[in-house]
Amino acid sequence: RSVYDDQPNAHQKFMEKLDACIRNHDREIEKMCNFHHQGFVDAITELLKVRADAEKLKVQVTDTNRRLQDAGKEVIAQTEEIIRCRVQQRNITTVVEKLQLCLPVLEMYSKLKEQMSVKRYYSALKTMEQLENLYLPRVSQYRFCQIMIENLPKLREEIKEISMSDLKDFLESIRKHSDRIGETAMKQAQQQKTFSTALQKQNNVNYGRNMHLGRNRILDSKNEITLKRTFEDEDEHEEEVLTAQDLVDFSPVYRCLHIYSVLGDGEIFENYYRKQRRKQARLVLQPQSSMHETVEGYRRYFSQIVGFFVVEDHILHVTQGLVTRTYTDELWNMALSKIIAVLRTHSSYCSDPDLVLELKNLIVVFADTLQGYGFPVNRLFDLLFEIRDQYNETLLKKWSGLFRDIFEADNYSPIPVANEEEYRIVISKFPFQDPELDKQSFPKKLPMSQSVPQIYMQVKEFIYASLKFSESLHRSSTEIDDMLRKSTNLLLTRTLSSCLQNLIKKPHIGLTELVQIIINTTHLEQACKYLEDFISNITNISQLTVHTARLYGLSTFKDARHAAEGEIYTKLNQKIDEFIQIADYDWTMSESDGRASGYLMDLINFLRSTFQVFTHLPGKVAQTACMSACQHLSMSLMQMLLDSELKQISMGAIQQFNLDVIQCELFASSEPVPGFQGDTLQLAFIDLRQLLDLFMVWDWSTYLADYGQATSKYLRVNPSTALTLLEKMKDSSKKNNIFAQFRKNDRDKQKLIETVVKQLRSLVNGMSQHT
C-alpha cells in the first residue's frame, strides 16, 4: 500500500526490491538442497533394495489371501445363516411380547361386545373404563387400538340410548300399574287398620274380662273368635300381598341410574327422571270429568295417586340422590293442593249422601295409606270437614224429601191402637207417655198422628247417617258429639222447620189438619230430650259436659206451632170472609124480617163446630182463635156497613143488621171455647153494639153531650163512623120520602139529621186538626 501510495516511480523501485528478495530465497534453497542431497541419494538406494523383497512379499500375501478366501467362504455362509436366524428369533420374541400386550385388550373388547349383546350395560361400562385406563394405553401405537378408541364413545352413547329407552319403558310401565300398586297399598293399609282395631277391641275385652269375668265370659269368647278370624284373614292376605317390586320391575331405573352415574351424567338423569315424573304426576292428578258420578271413579283416581307416591317412596329408599325427601315433599305438596281442589270441586256435584259417605271412606283410606309412607295428610282431614258439610247438605236434602213424603202420606188424625201389641209398636218408635191414656181400655187413640213416630225415627236415622261420616276422622268423642248435635240442629231448625212451614202454608191443609199439626209439634217438642239422650248414648258424652251443644228443637217446634196457629187464625178469617161474601142484605128494606140472616146462622154453626175440634189444643190457642174470629167477624160486619159502594141504608136494614149482631153476641156469650172471663168475648162486638144502639135509639143528644168522656155510653163510636152511616141514612130518607117535606114529623127528622151531621162533621174536623 505504501508502494501504491508513493510516487509514480515507486513501482519500479518495488519491483527491484522484490527481485532482490527472490534471489535471496533461491540462494537459501540451493544451500539447503546441497546440504541434504547425500541423504536423499542414500534413501533411494535403500528403497531400491527393498523393492525386490516387497515383490516377493506381495506374491506371498496374494497367495495367502487366496487360500484364506477359499477357506472362509463356508464360514461366511454359516455366519449369515446364524445372523438371519437370530433376526427371526428377535422378531418372534418381539411379536410374542406385543401379542401378550394386545391379547388382553382384544379379550376385554370381546368381553365388552359380549356384555353389550347380553345387555349387561353397567358391566360393559366398567369394561370400557378398564380398556381406556389400563389396556389401551399400552398398545396405543397400533391401528386397531385407534379404531377401538374411536368406537368406545359410540358404544357409550349406544348404552345411554338403550338405558334411556329402558327407562322410558319403565316410566310407561309404572304409569300403567300405578292404579294397581295404589289399590294394593290401600288394601294393605285398610287391613292394617282393621287388624289394629280388632287388637284394640281385644285389649278392651281383656280389660273387661278382669273387671267383669263372669258376666262377660260369653262376650269375650265371641270377641276372641272374631279376633282369631281377623288374624287368620290377615295371614291369608299376607300370603297374597303384592308389593310395588312384585308389580313393577325397578331394574331399568337402577341400571339407568348406575349407567349415567358412571358416565358422569348422573345430574342429567336425575333432572330427566324428575321432569318426567312431574309430568306423570300432573296426568295422574287430572281427574276424569265424570269422576263424581260413581265411587269407582274416585277409587281409580286415589289408587293412581297412591301408586305414584308409593313408587316415589320406593325409589327414595332404594336409591341415593335420584329422589330426595325434599323433592317428594315438594311434589306431595303440589299434588295435595291439586287433590284438594279436585275433591272440593267434584264433591260439590255429589247429591247422593251414600256416594259422599263412600268418598269420605276412600279419602280416609287414602290419607291413612299415604300417612303410612310418611306423607303429611292433615289438610285432607281438614278437607273432610268441608266435605262433611257437603254430606250434611245432601243428607238434609234427602231427609227433606223423606219429611215431605211423610207429611203427604199422613191422614192428620189420631193414631188408633186396637190392642196392646199395636200400642207397643208405636211406643217402640216414639217415646210417648200418658198415664191417663194408659188407664183407658183398648181400642183407643193416641193424640198424635202417624207422622210423629215416623218423623222421630227419621231423625234418629239421620243421626246414625251423620255419625257414619264422623267415624275414622281421628276426632275425639266430644268433637263427634258436637258435630252430631250441630247437624241434628240443622235438620230440626232448617229442614224439618221448612217442611213444617211449607206444609202449614199448603192450600189443602184445613183447620182440622192444622189442629193436628199443633198437637204433633207439641209431642215432637217433648221428644227432643230423648233425642239428646240418644246422641249422648251413642257418643258416650254426658249432657252435663260444659261444651256440649243443645238441640234447638224446642224453638223449631214452637215456631212451627206458632205458624200453624197463625194459619188457623188466617183460615178462620178466610172462612168468615167466604160467609160474609154470600151475605145478601136489602139495604133499602122498610122493616126487618124478624129473624137473623141465614148466612150468619150458618157461619155461627160453622164456628161452633170448629171450636169443638179445638178441645185438644192448648187453651190459650183455642181462646186466641175464638177471639180472633169474633174480632174479624165484628170488623167485617163493620166494614160491610161502611162500604163506600153502599150509598144508602134504611132503618129497616139497620134493624135487620142488629138482629144478626145479636146472634153474634149470643154466640160469644155461649162460651164456645172455655176459659174466657165474664163477657170478654162479647167485647169483640162492642163497637158494633154501641153504634147500632145509637142509631136504633136515636140517642144523638146523649152521644154528642158525653162525647170525649170516659163514662160515655157510646165511647166506642167514632164520629167519622157515625157520620158515614148517618149520611147513608140521610140519602136513603131523601130518596124514599119524596113527599117528606109535606109531613111535619118527617121534616123535623130531616132537620135533626142535618143538625147531627153538622155537629159530627165539626167533631171530625176538630179531631183532624188536633191530630
Side-chain angles (χ1 to χ4, degrees):
R1 186 166 134 186
S2 62
V3 172
Y4 285 100
D5 291 342
D6 211 350
Q7 298 298 325
N9 56 357
H11 180 70
Q12 185 65 34
K13 292 180 179 179
F14 173 74
M15 294 301 295
E16 291 177 354
K17 290 181 180 181
L18 184 62
D19 290 337
C21 287
I22 292 171
R23 285 191 296 275
N24 288 333
H25 282 295
D26 288 339
R27 281 193 295 276
E28 289 178 0
I29 292 170
E30 186 178 355
K31 286 179 181 179
M32 187 175 291
C33 289
N34 290 330
F35 180 76
H36 292 289
H37 181 263
Q38 188 58 40
F40 177 73
V41 171
D42 293 338
I44 292 298
T45 301
E46 288 179 359
L47 183 61
L48 289 174
K49 291 178 180 179
V50 172
R51 181 178 180 180
D53 294 334
E55 288 293 334
K56 293 178 181 179
L57 180 62
K58 179 179 178 183
V59 171
Q60 292 176 355
V61 170
T62 302
D63 184 58
T64 302
N65 179 56
R66 180 183 56 76
R67 286 185 283 111
L68 181 63
Q69 290 293 331
D70 293 339
K73 285 182 179 179
E74 185 176 354
V75 175
I76 290 172
Q78 293 294 328
T79 303
E80 288 179 351
E81 182 67 20
I82 290 172
I83 291 171
R84 188 179 64 79
C85 289
R86 286 186 176 177
V87 170
Q88 287 180 350
Q89 184 180 8
R90 187 172 66 249
N91 289 342
I92 289 171
T93 302
T94 302
V95 169
V96 170
E97 290 176 355
K98 297 303 181 182
L99 285 175
Q100 286 176 344
L101 287 175
C102 292
L103 278 176
V105 177
L106 295 173
E107 289 175 354
M108 291 297 288
Y109 195 78
S110 175
K111 181 181 177 181
L112 172 62
K113 287 294 186 180
E114 183 181 355
Q115 289 170 340
M116 290 288 291
S117 64
V118 296
K119 299 182 178 182
R120 294 174 57 195
Y121 302 116
Y122 182 71
S123 300
L125 288 174
K126 289 297 184 183
T127 303
M128 286 185 198
E129 186 178 356
Q130 290 179 352
L131 276 172
E132 284 183 327
N133 298 331
L134 186 61
Y135 293 98
L136 289 178
R138 298 175 185 174
V139 291
S140 59
Q141 68 273 22
Y142 300 110
R143 184 179 176 185
F144 78 88
C145 179
Q146 295 300 323
I147 295 174
M148 288 182 182
I149 291 174
E150 292 174 0
N151 283 339
L152 289 181
K154 296 179 181 178
L155 291 175
R156 282 196 177 91
E157 288 300 321
E158 182 181 350
I159 290 174
K160 286 177 67 175
E161 291 176 1
I162 293 173
S163 61
M164 184 57 70
S165 176
D166 291 343
L167 176 66
K168 290 178 180 178
D169 293 340
F170 165 78
L171 292 174
E172 180 66 20
S173 174
I174 60 175
R175 189 183 71 82
K176 291 180 179 178
H177 291 85
S178 286
D179 54 347
R180 190 177 175 192
I181 296 171
E183 183 179 356
T184 302
M186 290 172 72
K187 283 182 180 178
Q188 293 174 8
Q190 199 165 12
Q191 291 164 7
Q192 181 64 32
K193 186 175 182 180
T194 303
F195 174 79
S196 300
T197 303
L199 188 62
Q200 184 177 4
K201 287 182 178 179
Q202 176 64 13
N203 292 335
N204 294 337
V205 167
N206 290 336
Y207 175 77
R209 182 187 294 117
N210 294 332
M211 299 298 294
H212 309 285
L213 182 60
R215 185 177 61 186
N216 292 335
R217 183 170 297 162
I218 297 175
L219 179 62
D220 293 350
S221 62
K222 288 183 179 179
N223 283 321
E224 287 175 358
I225 294 172
T226 302
L227 183 63
K228 183 178 180 181
R229 288 177 179 172
T230 302
F231 289 153
E232 291 174 354
D233 291 342
E234 291 296 326
D235 292 339
E236 292 176 2
H237 286 300
E238 285 177 1
E239 294 177 359
E240 301 173 358
V241 162
L242 297 175
T243 63
Q245 286 179 306
D246 298 324
L247 297 172
V248 177
D249 180 16
F250 285 90
S251 58
V253 72
Y254 305 149
R255 185 164 55 246
C256 197
L257 174 61
H258 289 311
I259 288 170
Y260 272 77
S261 299
V262 169
L263 296 177
D265 293 334
E267 185 175 354
I268 295 175
F269 173 74
E270 291 172 10
N271 292 335
Y272 176 81
Y273 176 84
R274 295 180 183 182
K275 181 179 179 181
Q276 294 302 315
R277 288 297 278 165
R278 281 195 179 94
K279 288 182 179 179
Q280 288 189 345
R282 293 188 183 95
L283 291 175
V284 167
L285 294 171
Q286 189 66 32
Q288 294 182 351
S289 58
S290 60
M291 183 179 73
H292 63 277
E293 295 177 357
T294 62
V295 69
E296 288 303 321
Y298 287 108
R299 182 176 287 111
R300 192 178 307 110
Y301 180 68
F302 287 134
S303 297
Q304 290 177 348
I305 296 173
V306 170
F308 178 89
F309 283 100
V310 166
V311 169
E312 290 304 289
D313 182 77
H314 179 78
I315 296 293
L316 171 67
H317 287 91
V318 299
T319 62
Q320 293 181 350
L322 178 58
V323 174
T324 63
R325 175 55 68 182
T326 303
Y327 162 77
T328 55
D329 289 344
E330 177 186 350
L331 196 61
W332 169 244
N333 288 331
M334 180 274 291
L336 188 58
S337 299
K338 178 68 175 177
I339 292 167
I340 290 174
V342 166
L343 292 178
R344 186 177 286 127
T345 300
H346 281 263
S347 64
S348 64
Y349 298 145
C350 294
S351 57
D352 182 8
D354 295 333
L355 180 58
V356 178
L357 183 61
E358 290 182 352
L359 171 61
K360 167 259 174 182
N361 293 331
L362 280 177
I363 293 176
V364 170
V365 175
F366 172 73
D368 289 342
T369 303
L370 289 175
Q371 191 174 32
Y373 285 92
F375 294 100
V377 295
N378 291 334
R379 291 173 62 189
L380 283 175
F381 284 102
D382 293 338
L383 173 67
L384 282 175
F385 279 89
E386 297 181 26
I387 297 179
R388 182 202 66 190
D389 296 336
Q390 173 69 17
Y391 176 71
N392 284 338
E393 288 298 323
T394 58
L395 283 182
L396 292 175
K397 191 176 295 184
K398 177 180 178 181
W399 257 257
S400 177
L402 292 174
F403 289 152
R404 284 197 301 269
D405 293 341
I406 290 172
F407 289 139
E408 287 293 335
D410 195 8
N411 57 7
Y412 297 99
S413 59
I415 302 175
V417 286
N419 50 49
E420 182 71 21
E421 183 180 357
E422 292 183 4
Y423 180 73
R424 292 190 179 279
I425 291 174
V426 176
I427 298 303
S428 65
K429 296 179 181 179
F430 183 75
F432 175 74
Q433 295 177 354
D434 188 349
E436 295 296 328
L437 187 63
D438 292 340
K439 296 176 183 178
Q440 298 178 14
S441 60
F442 292 100
K444 54 188 175 182
K445 291 184 177 181
L446 303 182
M448 64 279 191
S449 67
Q450 193 63 46
S451 63
V452 172
Q454 293 176 353
I455 291 292
Y456 183 80
M457 291 300 295
Q458 286 301 327
V459 172
K460 290 175 69 174
E461 290 297 325
F462 176 88
I463 295 172
Y464 276 126
S466 183
L467 178 64
K468 287 181 182 178
F469 195 94
S470 302
E471 295 172 346
S472 304
L473 291 185
H474 306 298
R475 297 292 172 175
S476 65
S477 298
T478 304
E479 291 176 299
I480 293 176
D481 181 87
D482 186 60
M483 286 189 287
L484 287 181
R485 292 178 184 273
K486 287 181 178 178
S487 59
T488 307
N489 276 330
L490 280 176
L491 178 72
L492 296 176
T493 58
R494 198 172 78 185
T495 305
L496 182 55
S497 176
S498 175
C499 290
L500 284 171
Q501 296 291 342
N502 293 335
L503 173 67
I504 291 168
K505 297 295 182 181
K506 286 188 176 181
H508 70 274
I509 298 296
L511 291 172
T512 305
E513 287 82 0
L514 289 171
V515 169
Q516 188 62 54
I517 289 172
I518 292 176
I519 296 171
N520 290 349
T521 54
T522 302
H523 288 284
L524 287 171
E525 179 183 345
Q526 294 170 355
C528 282
K529 61 179 181 179
Y530 296 101
L531 289 176
E532 291 197 353
D533 294 339
F534 175 72
I535 294 176
S536 298
N537 289 334
I538 62 177
T539 59
N540 294 322
I541 297 297
S542 173
Q543 296 185 41
L544 301 177
T545 305
V546 176
H547 300 290
T548 301
R550 293 290 180 262
L551 295 183
Y552 303 142
L554 299 178
S555 60
T556 298
F557 297 121
K558 284 182 180 178
D559 293 342
R561 193 158 54 252
H562 291 158
E565 293 170 4
E567 194 66 20
I568 286 177
Y569 308 149
T570 301
K571 287 189 178 296
L572 270 176
N573 294 342
Q574 290 175 350
K575 200 66 177 177
I576 292 172
D577 292 339
E578 292 176 6
F579 280 101
I580 294 295
Q581 287 175 3
I582 64 175
D584 187 17
Y585 285 101
D586 181 6
W587 297 108
T588 60
M589 63 171 52
S590 58
E591 293 182 359
S592 67
D593 295 338
R595 61 179 183 275
S597 303
Y599 85 92
L600 189 70
M601 297 306 297
D602 293 339
L603 172 58
I604 291 175
N605 291 331
F606 164 76
L607 292 175
R608 199 179 302 277
S609 61
T610 299
F611 291 141
Q612 287 177 354
V613 180
F614 288 6
T615 53
H616 297 294
L617 287 177
K620 187 176 180 181
V621 176
Q623 293 170 13
T624 305
C626 186
M627 177 59 76
S628 172
C630 290
Q631 289 177 343
H632 185 74
L633 176 58
S634 175
M635 188 181 301
S636 299
L637 293 173
M638 179 69 79
Q639 289 175 353
M640 190 184 300
L641 283 177
L642 303 178
D643 188 4
S644 59
E645 294 182 2
L646 179 60
K647 302 299 182 181
Q648 55 187 6
I649 300 176
S650 65
M651 183 56 70
I654 293 292
Q655 293 171 353
Q656 181 63 41
F657 201 80
N658 181 59
L659 291 176
D660 293 343
V661 173
I662 290 174
Q663 290 299 322
C664 293
E665 291 173 330
L666 291 174
F667 168 74
S669 62
S670 66
E671 199 174 5
V673 172
F676 285 108
Q677 296 181 356
D679 56 353
T680 303
L681 192 57
Q682 291 175 272
L683 292 177
F685 301 97
I686 188 65
D687 292 358
L688 272 175
R689 172 47 49 212
Q690 291 187 6
L691 179 63
L692 292 174
D693 285 349
L694 176 60
F695 278 85
M696 294 288 292
V697 179
W698 206 255
D699 194 8
W700 293 104
S701 58
T702 303
Y703 173 75
L704 296 172
D706 295 342
Y707 177 75
Q709 298 180 12
T711 58
S712 174
K713 181 179 179 181
Y714 306 103
L715 181 63
R716 306 287 297 181
V717 178
N718 190 287
S720 60
T721 303
L723 177 61
T724 301
L725 187 56
L726 189 58
E727 287 180 338
K728 293 178 185 292
M729 290 190 66
K730 177 182 175 183
D731 294 339
S732 176
S733 298
K734 288 181 178 180
K735 186 174 181 179
N736 294 331
N737 299 300
I738 301 174
F739 303 102
Q741 54 186 343
F742 301 109
R743 294 193 293 269
K744 185 176 184 302
N745 291 336
D746 292 333
R747 288 198 306 270
D748 294 341
K749 185 177 181 181
Q750 191 67 28
K751 288 180 181 179
L752 178 59
I753 290 175
E754 292 176 357
T755 303
V756 172
V757 166
K758 290 180 181 179
Q759 291 178 344
L760 288 174
R761 282 177 179 166
S762 65
L763 288 177
V764 171
N765 293 333
M767 288 175 60
S768 61
Q769 291 177 1
H770 180 71
T771 302

